[in-house]
Amino acid sequence: EVDEPERLVLAITDEGELTEPLELITYTLAEADGRTELVLRQSGGTLTDEQYQQAKEGSGGFLDELGKVVASL
């Protein structure tokens, strides 16, 4: 799902094909104090609490690196 320029929703799965159950990753962009705020939310309920924590840590690292790239532009 794309709601340009504010929202992007991706459906993901660990299966070889995109079948149920799915996890949804939603990226929401909003202006805040002259800057762009990015909020990432993962939902679907198909992971354990430990897996969601690992996903949170991995996403945090990804977003940190993305921030470095954007800052260098």
Side-chain angles (χ1 to χ4, degrees):
E1 170 186 336
V2 176
D3 183 8
E4 193 174 325
E6 298 169 350
R7 192 168 111 130
L8 172 66
V9 180
L10 304 174
I12 61 171
T13 183
D14 284 339
E15 303 300 319
E17 297 179 20
L18 196 56
T19 59
E20 300 286 336
L22 298 174
E23 282 291 305
L24 296 178
I25 300 179
T26 303
Y27 298 90
T28 305
L29 299 164
E31 286 189 42
D33 298 322
R35 301 179 69 160
T36 301
E37 177 182 69
L38 169 66
V39 176
L40 181 145
R41 181 173 184 199
Q42 183 170 346
S43 61
T46 65
L47 303 179
T48 65
D49 289 344
E50 182 180 348
Q51 289 171 315
Y52 277 117
Q53 183 59 37
Q54 290 170 342
K56 181 179 179 180
E57 291 168 8
S59 296
F62 167 77
L63 292 174
D64 289 345
E65 291 302 312
L66 179 61
K68 291 175 188 176
V69 170
V70 171
S72 72
L73 299 176

